[in-house]
Amino acid sequence: MIARYWPTGDRLQQILALALPIIAGMVSQSLLNLVDAWMVGQLGSNALAAVGMGGNTNYLASAAVIGLGAGVQAMVARRKGEQDHAGMAIPLNAGLLIALVMALPLFLLFFFGSHTIMSVLIDDAEVVPLADDYCAVRVAGIFALGMNFSFRGYWNGTNQSMVYMRTLIVMHVSNVILSYGLIYGHWGLPALGVFGAGLGTTLSLYLASILYAVQCWLKARPAGFLAARPSTALLTSTLKLALPNSIQQIFFAGGLTMLFWIIGQVGTGELAVGHVLITLILFLILPAMGLGMSATSLVSQALGRRDTEDALTWGVNITLLGMVMLWGIALPLLLFPEFVLGLFVVEPELIELGRLPLQIPALFIGIDAAGIILSQALLGAGATSLVMKISISLQWGFFLPAAYLIGPMLGFGLTAIWVFQMIQRLLLALSLAYHWRQRRWATIRI
C-alpha cells in the first residue's frame, strides 16, 4: 500500500509547491515563538509560566476566529476546482465580516475578565499579575488574528501559499524586534518585561493584516475581493462550514488551558517546563500542519472537479509523506533532549524533569502527523462536524480526565501526563483513518 500511494512525479511536485511555503512560514512562526520563549525565559520561571498560561488563555479567546481560516480555504478551493474564478474571493469577504463581528464580544469578555481568569487558573500569587498583563494585551490582537486567518485561507485555497509565507515571515521578524525592544527597553523603547512581549506580538499581528489587505487589493480584486457583498446564503454556508472547526478550536484551546492548569497543580516548575514542551511540540508538528493545509486545498479542488478517487488519493499521499518527514525531523529531540531543553531553561532539575516528556512525542510523532493531516483532508471535504466530534470526545472525554487523575491526584507527574496525551493522539489518528477510508465525506456539498 505504501508503494502504491507514495507520491511521486507531478503529484509530489504539487504537494511540495503548495506545502513548502506554508511550512516555511509556519516554521518561521514557531522559530520566532521559540525566540520569544527564550527572551522571556531570561526573566525567570515565573515569567515563563505567566506567558505560557496567558498565551494559552489568549488562544482560547481567539480559537473561534482562528477556525474561520479552514472554512474559507475549503470554500475558496472548491470554487477554484469548479473554475469559478470571478467568485473565488467572495468567501474571503464573508470570512472577514464574520471574523470582525465575532471578535468584538470575545475581546470584551477576555480583556476585562483577564485578571479573574488568571486568578482562577494560577495558584502562584507572583505569577497571576504577570499572566494578567500578558493575556490582556494579547487579546487586543484578536481582530487582526481573525482577519489574518481568513486571508490565509484565501491564499492557500488558491494555491498561492508564497503570499502567506512572505507575510508571515515579515510579521514574525517584526514580532521579535518589537518584543525584544519592549521586554528589555532597547532602542529607546520602555522596558515592559512580560507585558512588552505581548505588546510586540499584538502590534505585529496588525502589521500583517495591513500587508494581507494590500496584497489582496492588488491581486484579488478580479476574484471579488471587496467588490461584492457576500449574500446571506454565503454567510450562512461559511458559518455552517467554519462553525464546527471554530468549536473544535475553542475546545482544543480550552483543553490546552485546562492542561496547563492541571500541570500547574503539580508544580510551578512543571508549568514552566510544560510551556517549553508544548512550544517545542508545536514546532515539531509544523510540517504536518503545512502538509495538512495543502491536503485541504487539493482534496477540495478534486471534489470541485467531482473526482472522488483523486481526493482520496491526495489524502493518503500527503499522510504518508508527512509521517516519514516528521519521524526524520524528530530524531534530534529523541537523541539529544537535554541539549534542546537547555536552550530554554537553566535549572538542571527542570531539564531532567522535561527529558522523558520530550522524547515521548518525538517517538510517536509520525502517528500524530497522520491525525493532523487526515483531519485537514476531511476539513477540505467539508466533514468539519465529524472532525469536531472525534477531536473533542478524545480530548475532553479521555485525555483531560486521565491527565488530572494520574497527575495531581495520583502524583505520577509530568511524564505520565505526556504518555496519555500520546495515547489520545494515536486514537485520533486511527479514528480519522477509518473515516477517510469509508469515503462518506465524498457526498458533502459546500
Side-chain angles (χ1 to χ4, degrees), residues 28 48 97-98 142 247 260 280 305 373 416 420:
S28 76
L48 194 59
L97 179 59
I98 294 170
I142 192 171
I247 294 172
F260 267 85
L280 286 169
R305 299 189 301 269
I373 294 169
F420 273 83

Side-chain angles (χ1 to χ4, degrees), residues 38 99 108 134 141 155 158 166-168 193 272 292 308 313 316 341 347 378 383 398:
W38 174 80
L108 294 174
Y134 184 82
W155 293 115
T158 56
R166 291 195 302 263
T167 306
L168 198 64
T308 301
T313 304
V316 180
L341 289 166
E347 298 94 334
L378 286 163
F398 168 71

Side-chain angles (χ1 to χ4, degrees), residues 4-89:
R4 176 186 173 189
Y5 283 106
W6 182 259
T8 58
D10 183 62
R11 296 185 76 84
L12 181 61
Q13 290 180 10
Q14 288 187 64
I15 295 170
L16 295 179
L18 181 54
L20 286 180
I22 300 174
I23 294 171
M26 298 182 80
V27 166
S28 76
Q29 172 181 342
S30 194
L31 283 173
L32 295 173
N33 285 344
L34 292 174
V35 172
D36 280 353
W38 174 80
M39 290 189 294
V40 173
Q42 307 310 300
L43 301 176
S45 60
N46 283 349
L48 194 59
V51 169
M53 184 62 80
N56 279 280
T57 303
N58 172 70
Y59 180 32
L60 173 62
S62 308
V65 295
I66 289 174
L68 288 168
V72 170
Q73 182 175 344
M75 294 188 71
V76 169
R78 191 65 61 92
R79 302 292 90 78
K80 180 177 175 63
E82 296 167 348
Q83 302 297 308
D84 182 12
H85 299 296
M88 285 194 301

Side-chain angles (χ1 to χ4, degrees), residues 253-299:
L256 272 183
T257 303
M258 182 62 67
L259 177 59
F260 267 85
W261 177 81
I262 291 171
I263 295 172
Q265 301 305 298
V266 179
T268 299
E270 283 80 0
L271 183 58
V273 171
H275 170 56
V276 173
L277 290 173
I278 289 176
T279 302
L280 286 169
I281 292 168
L282 291 177
F283 172 72
L284 195 65
I285 64 174
L286 284 179
M289 295 173 66
L291 288 166
M293 289 182 191
S294 72
T296 299
S297 292
L298 293 169
V299 167

Side-chain angles (χ1 to χ4, degrees), residues 30 34 277-289 325-334 358-366 368-369 372:
S30 194
L34 292 174
L277 290 173
I278 289 176
T279 302
L280 286 169
I281 292 168
L282 291 177
F283 172 72
L284 195 65
I285 64 174
L286 284 179
M289 295 173 66
M325 184 181 295
L326 260 71
W327 265 317
I329 293 172
L331 277 177
L333 277 70
L334 185 64
L358 181 59
Q359 289 177 306
I360 292 168
L363 184 62
F364 290 95
I365 196 66
D368 203 7
I372 293 168

